[in-house]
Amino acid sequence: MASSSQASRARPAHPNLAFRRLRGSRSPGEFATAVRRAAREIGEHVSCDARYIGRVEAGEIRCPNYAYERVFLHMFPGLTLTDLGFTARENVRGRGRLTAAGAPGAGRPAPPFQPCCPFDGGRSSSDSDIDEESDVLRRAFMTSGSATVAVASLGLGFTSGSMPAQRRVGEAEVAAVEEAVRRIRLLDDRHGADGLYRQAAQPLRAAYALLDAGTWSRRSTADRLHAGAGELAVSVGWLAHDSGRFDDARSHYAEALATARVAGDPALEAHAFCNTSFLARDAGRYREAVRTAQAGRRAARQVGSPRLLSLLALREAGGWAGLGDRTGCEQSLARAHTYFEQGPAPDDPEWMSFFAEPELQALQAQCWAALGDFARAARHARRAAMLQDHRFTRNLALYRAELAADLARAGAPDEAAAAGEQVLQLLGDVRSSRIRTILADTARVLVPHRRAEGVAAFLDHHAAASHPA
């Protein structure tokens, strides 16, 4: 018998004639421009283009994501999604088709929960690499029977809101949670956090629902599920952190820390403290940044990873720099180098794959910038950008943005503008509020230097990218 997802793929698309009529005489491109303009009016951001309009009119998009829904209803007040030619969301999701006889516990198993778009609560970005990656992530979260079993539903046949009193958790469910963490990190490395945060919240809820309702035949399964759920909470927290949602990030990191304490998992505890320290520094709570980094170091001593201790020393250094304590910062940086030079170890956590020489240089640059030594910061930021693997697009954009900021404040506006131009070229693939904020601050610093070589062009290009047509 075909699965519901297979049936959905087999269902032929029917043209959306109602939506086509609403477009009227405007071309798909002109209509897409009107959609983007309407989105800005209500504080939304959608990357609508002619291809997206064509997919809607062809019936390929049966139900828009929530961002597009808000925009369309703003454009056509008084109309519903059905009036616009879309299928009601509850019907696309499959919930409306459940009858009493088919409900859970009515004598036969419920069909798998198949959301039409498990990641439709955030920003949309059609016709881009992130769209393809999001499709990959959707499939990973919606395909049961393997290590990429649906994390949004975890292949369990119910939503987290309808979790039975007990559920036996095995290898497939645990592997799904672990795979979810890897996929989120991969997409963040390539594209940044802005388009992923809301999307990733659903598998996180499902993972914690398993912890609440699950039973395990082996302790090792329970330990892996706690570790996986905690790492997922840290990953989702980082997406919130990087997209400027600091309160959400703090909550997710606290959730991960609580999970680590319950499970007695020092590696997860160190990770949660490490990210909490980073968040505290970014939020201007510098003493908290120092204290949480030190707490993370105490947990990390049980892990056997010099690189983890090095990163925590860098987090502590960032806190001292924010406090203006140069001595404390230099001492922490010295410890970071001592640990880093011991090299990789078998017990290095999987999530630390990003922590290599470029990140070491970048974090030092941040410390020196906080202490006001922008020339020294620029030297470290330049080395970070030169060494960074180009596959990690998000970090490459970040390092170059920080280089531009340091150069602007170090009195090298022409070099800052050149670095800023490189960042703008990457922002088509990267969605990160952190990077855009750094670049906007750099542009403000460069305004008085418009006559310097390349500065006027960069300012114009930045303004165009910040306010697309």
Side-chain angles (χ1 to χ4, degrees), residues 115-416:
C116 67
C117 186
F119 303 106
D120 63 0
R123 307 302 187 202
S124 173
S125 56
S126 61
D127 200 20
S128 68
D129 288 343
I130 193 170
D131 212 29
E132 295 179 11
E133 290 292 347
S134 294
D135 287 341
V136 171
L137 192 56
R138 289 186 188 96
R139 289 194 292 274
F141 280 75
M142 294 179 66
T143 304
S144 60
S146 70
T148 55
V149 62
V151 177
S153 63
L154 296 177
L156 303 178
F158 45 79
T159 71
S160 59
S162 61
M163 187 73 70
Q166 285 192 331
R167 170 75 190 186
R168 183 164 292 279
V169 177
E171 173 66 25
E173 290 84 357
V174 173
V177 175
E178 294 169 343
E179 181 66 14
V181 176
R182 296 187 185 101
R183 294 300 304 172
I184 288 171
R185 288 173 182 160
L186 173 63
L187 291 176
D188 177 50
D189 285 340
R190 294 182 181 178
H191 303 297
D194 283 9
L196 296 173
Y197 170 57
R198 295 188 186 280
Q199 302 171 357
Q202 185 170 329
L204 177 62
R205 289 193 297 270
Y208 274 92
L210 276 182
L211 282 178
D212 290 340
T215 61
W216 307 274
S217 57
R218 292 183 296 179
R219 175 63 186 268
S220 61
T221 302
D223 290 344
R224 282 180 60 197
L225 182 59
H226 276 88
E231 289 294 343
L232 192 54
V234 173
S235 294
V236 175
W238 165 247
L239 296 179
H241 181 173
D242 195 42
S243 56
R245 301 171 173 90
F246 285 6
D247 288 342
D248 289 352
R250 189 177 179 88
S251 175
H252 289 306
Y253 293 159
E255 188 172 39
L257 181 58
T259 303
R261 292 280 176 81
V262 167
D265 186 335
L268 176 58
E269 182 174 340
H271 192 185
F273 273 129
C274 183
N275 278 44
T276 301
S277 176
F278 193 9
L279 175 66
R281 189 210 67 171
D282 282 355
R285 299 190 300 269
Y286 301 118
R287 292 197 184 280
E288 180 184 332
V290 170
R291 291 196 302 270
T292 50
Q294 292 170 343
R297 187 173 69 209
R298 289 192 291 272
R301 286 174 180 153
Q302 305 176 56
V303 177
S305 169
R307 287 288 169 93
L308 176 56
L309 289 167
S310 176
L311 180 57
L312 285 159
L314 287 163
R315 297 290 187 235
E316 184 178 346
W320 289 124
L323 291 169
D325 188 332
R326 189 183 185 97
T327 299
C329 179
E330 289 179 336
Q331 290 174 345
S332 294
L333 288 177
R335 283 199 303 274
H337 278 276
T338 299
Y339 287 127
F340 189 88
E341 289 166 3
Q342 294 181 37
D347 290 328
D348 288 343
E350 182 179 340
W351 61 269
M352 289 196 66
S353 59
F354 78 97
F355 185 58
E357 180 72 19
E359 183 72 7
L360 175 70
Q361 295 294 332
L363 292 178
Q364 290 178 92
Q366 292 172 14
C367 289
W368 293 117
L371 289 168
D373 191 341
F374 295 108
R376 191 168 185 176
R379 290 197 295 273
H380 287 287
R382 190 188 304 279
R383 182 162 178 77
M386 289 174 56
L387 294 174
Q388 179 57 37
D389 189 325
H390 283 231
R391 292 175 298 175
F392 295 92
T393 313
R394 182 261 176 200
N395 275 3
L396 183 62
L398 174 64
Y399 299 159
R400 287 179 175 172
E402 291 179 335
L403 173 60
D406 295 335
L407 288 168
R409 290 169 172 81
D414 52 342
E415 294 181 69

Side-chain angles (χ1 to χ4, degrees), residues 64-89:
N65 70 27
Y66 287 113
Y68 274 104
E69 177 183 351
R70 287 188 287 271
V71 175
F72 292 150
L73 297 183
H74 169 67
M75 293 177 69
F76 304 106
L79 299 185
T80 65
L81 281 181
T82 304
D83 296 331
L84 298 174
F86 294 107
T87 302
R89 191 177 303 279

